[in-house]
Amino acid sequence: MKRILVSLLVLGFTGSFTLSAQQTPASAQSEAITITGATAHIGNGTIKENCTLVFEDGKITAIGGSEIESKGQVINANGKHIYPGFIAPGKALGLVEVNAVRASNDQDEIGDMIPHIRSIIAYNAESKVIESMRPNGVLLSQITPKGGRISGTSSIVQFDAWNWEDAAVKTDDGIHLNWPTLFRNGRWWMGEPRGFIPNKDYQKQVNDVKTFMQNANAYGKGNANEVNAPYAAMQGIFDGSKHLYIYADGEKEIMDAITNAKEAGAAKIVLVGGYHAHKISDFLKENNIPILVNFTHTLPKFDDDDYDFTYKLPKLLVDEGLIVGLQNASASNFQTRNLPFYAGQVVAQGLEKEKALQLITGNNAKILGIDADYGTLEVGKSATLFISEGDALDMRTNQLSRAFIDGRDISLETHQTELWKRYMGKYEGK
């Protein structure tokens, strides 16, 4: 009897999983595909009207006007728009399914200096949250661990795979460092005042990071008898094979972080957040530091900030001549699907639409180091792109009809679209 009950339970769970799992990954591209008549948004600030785009074996082989000869399957996209797949940096997608369910939350590990923790091996390619990104054109992401002073090592994936091995675009691309802050939120439950109060431990925390990085650099230059996993993981930031992503917002914190990281030997540094980065733009340009600025839909941090400061910050940084990408690392994972609309909000602040598009395509690809294959519609690059009925930065018109990842014709059905169809039938009286 017990065996029968166990069997029934197993079958029940298996059936439930089958019904709720992600869409089956698409088959490899088997014939050439030509898209004609669309407006192509290249992702580098330019557009091509009445464009013809051809891709074969997962790569773009031709892009231009009527002079391009059609090959294979032809998709008539007259009046529609083609975009490169949007790229979302700094997210824990696939590492946590439900925040309130600890067993499904793999985005943080115990410890403070844990660069050797690799996010990619915990990545769940069949997450329902991940498949909900695709209908808005978000097709790639940097999967990033959270928590601690040094959170771990991120990797970049595409959103159409059975497992992390198939999903990986670039493994172990960078180390993530949460720089100490000069001010912190008061712990009112411990008798501290509410709001921001000085962080008395700031210098000690900075010294701890400096010491760790110096020791890691020395470890790489020496001949240690024993392997030190945290120090070994840091070697990529010294030889340039990994980026060092530094999370900092204040002027002093940003300058301290970059100065100390360079002194420790970090070769490639990316600033993440940069709330007050526009005030030290000359320093950032001198040090060749790109910025992944936070998403626009947040409240200002300080009482004397403009009410719309967060909305216009990306434009302020672009106007200063900095390389800027847009991310939403501090937002919930499900909000990543709104990435194109955050870019659209920057257009409302005066940034040219194609430059705003760059923030989530070409610029993000360049900052993450995957621009040789992704981020723009160019010959030789991956056919990771989509066709939209209208402007992809406007939630009213961003309606995808087709999407491709490495040339594979992917499904745009999700758990949410299934529910939408179900309940639309109910409310329409069907």
Side-chain angles (χ1 to χ4, degrees):
M1 185 64 180
K2 288 183 178 178
R3 290 182 179 178
I4 295 173
L5 287 173
V6 170
S7 299
L8 289 173
L9 285 171
V10 170
L11 287 171
F13 281 122
T14 303
S16 176
F17 176 79
T18 303
L19 290 172
S20 63
Q22 186 192 33
Q23 295 294 319
T24 301
S27 301
Q29 184 179 2
S30 59
E31 65 172 330
I33 296 177
T34 303
I35 303 172
T36 64
T39 298
H41 302 261
I42 306 304
N44 60 5
T46 64
I47 61 174
K48 292 183 184 293
E49 301 285 354
N50 195 26
C51 177
T52 298
L53 184 148
V54 183
F55 54 97
E56 304 176 66
D57 298 323
K59 298 288 185 180
I60 298 173
T61 56
I63 182 169
S66 56
E67 75 281 2
I68 302 296
E69 183 178 351
S70 297
K71 298 180 66 176
Q73 177 188 353
V74 178
I75 300 173
N76 184 344
N78 287 334
K80 299 181 181 181
H81 300 258
I82 310 174
Y83 292 88
F86 299 148
I87 305 167
K91 297 306 301 178
L93 290 162
L95 301 183
V96 55
E97 194 71 5
V98 181
N99 287 327
V101 180
R102 185 64 185 91
S104 75
N105 191 333
D106 227 359
Q107 63 184 330
D108 191 9
E109 292 291 341
I110 297 172
D112 205 36
M113 305 287 191
I114 48 174
H116 55 298
I117 298 300
R118 303 175 65 224
S119 64
I120 189 66
I121 60 173
Y123 175 70
N124 174 21
E126 295 189 73
S127 165
K128 283 186 180 181
V129 182
I130 285 173
E131 72 173 17
S132 72
M133 302 296 115
R134 301 185 300 190
N136 278 3
V138 181
L139 304 182
L140 300 103
S141 183
Q142 180 192 46
I143 307 306
T144 306
K146 306 293 181 181
R149 182 65 64 201
I150 298 180
S151 303
T153 302
S154 60
S155 291
I156 301 165
V157 301
Q158 49 81 12
F159 289 157
D160 184 56
W162 282 118
N163 49 53
W164 69 261
E165 293 93 341
D166 294 341
V169 167
K170 185 177 183 180
T171 57
D172 303 331
D173 73 292
I175 302 287
H176 295 257
L177 167 60
N178 298 294
W179 193 256
T181 59
L182 279 169
F183 295 88
R184 62 176 177 81
N185 284 314
R187 296 168 295 185
W188 57 268
W189 59 92
M190 295 181 64
E192 295 177 349
R194 293 178 183 268
F196 289 110
I197 63 174
N199 178 12
K200 296 178 181 179
D201 297 324
Y202 176 75
Q203 196 55 54
K204 177 185 180 301
Q205 293 167 352
V206 169
N207 290 338
D208 289 344
V209 174
K210 287 172 61 177
T211 300
F212 182 85
M213 294 182 69
Q214 289 167 356
N215 290 344
N217 199 347
Y219 170 88
K221 295 176 180 178
N223 295 305
N225 294 324
E226 296 182 3
V227 174
N228 183 300
Y231 288 164
M234 292 288 287
Q235 299 313 304
I237 71 167
F238 304 126
D239 62 26
S241 61
K242 294 179 183 177
H243 290 81
L244 177 61
Y245 296 91
I246 298 178
Y247 295 67
D249 285 319
E251 297 169 67
K252 178 171 172 54
E253 290 100 320
I254 294 171
M255 296 180 74
D256 283 351
I258 293 169
T259 301
N260 282 288
K262 281 185 168 289
E263 289 177 353
K268 296 179 180 179
I269 299 172
V270 176
L271 175 62
V272 184
Y275 189 84
H276 282 154
H278 64 294
K279 296 182 178 180
I280 52 172
S281 57
D282 289 340
F283 170 81
L284 295 172
K285 284 187 284 189
E286 287 169 9
N287 287 279
N288 193 30
I289 305 296
I291 303 175
L292 289 171
V293 68
N294 200 19
F295 70 118
T296 57
H297 287 43
T298 58
L299 293 172
K301 290 187 177 183
F302 303 102
D303 292 341
D304 56 352
D305 287 333
D306 291 344
Y307 74 93
D308 59 350
F309 174 72
T310 58
Y311 290 88
K312 63 187 180 183
L313 178 58
K315 182 180 185 301
L316 294 177
L317 296 171
V318 170
D319 289 346
E320 291 291 340
L322 295 162
I323 299 175
V324 181
L326 188 61
Q327 51 85 25
N328 60 340
S330 62
S332 297
N333 279 336
F334 75 88
Q335 290 178 301
T336 307
R337 73 183 73 139
N338 293 324
L339 186 64
F341 312 137
Y342 300 142
Q345 180 62 55
V346 185
V347 177
Q349 304 305 313
L351 189 65
E352 294 178 17
K353 185 172 291 186
E354 297 308 312
K355 286 187 176 180
L357 177 68
Q358 275 184 268
L359 301 182
I360 56 175
T361 54
N363 284 12
N364 273 354
K366 184 175 183 179
I367 292 170
L368 298 181
I370 58 171
D371 52 313
D373 295 303
Y374 299 93
T376 55
L377 302 177
E378 298 179 77
V379 172
K381 291 194 175 185
S382 169
T384 299
L385 51 91
F386 64 89
I387 302 172
S388 175
E389 299 292 321
D391 182 358
L393 303 189
D394 186 339
M395 66 176 65
R396 298 169 300 180
T397 57
N398 183 10
Q399 300 177 24
L400 273 62
S401 55
R402 301 286 288 274
F404 303 86
I405 293 180
D406 295 329
R408 301 188 303 276
D409 191 356
I410 67 171
S411 170
L412 294 174
E413 290 295 322
T414 72
H415 179 65
Q416 292 175 326
T417 59
E418 291 173 0
L419 290 175
W420 174 72
K421 290 176 180 177
R422 175 183 176 184
Y423 286 102
M424 280 301 292
K426 173 182 177 180
Y427 291 117
E428 289 175 355
K430 295 180 179 178

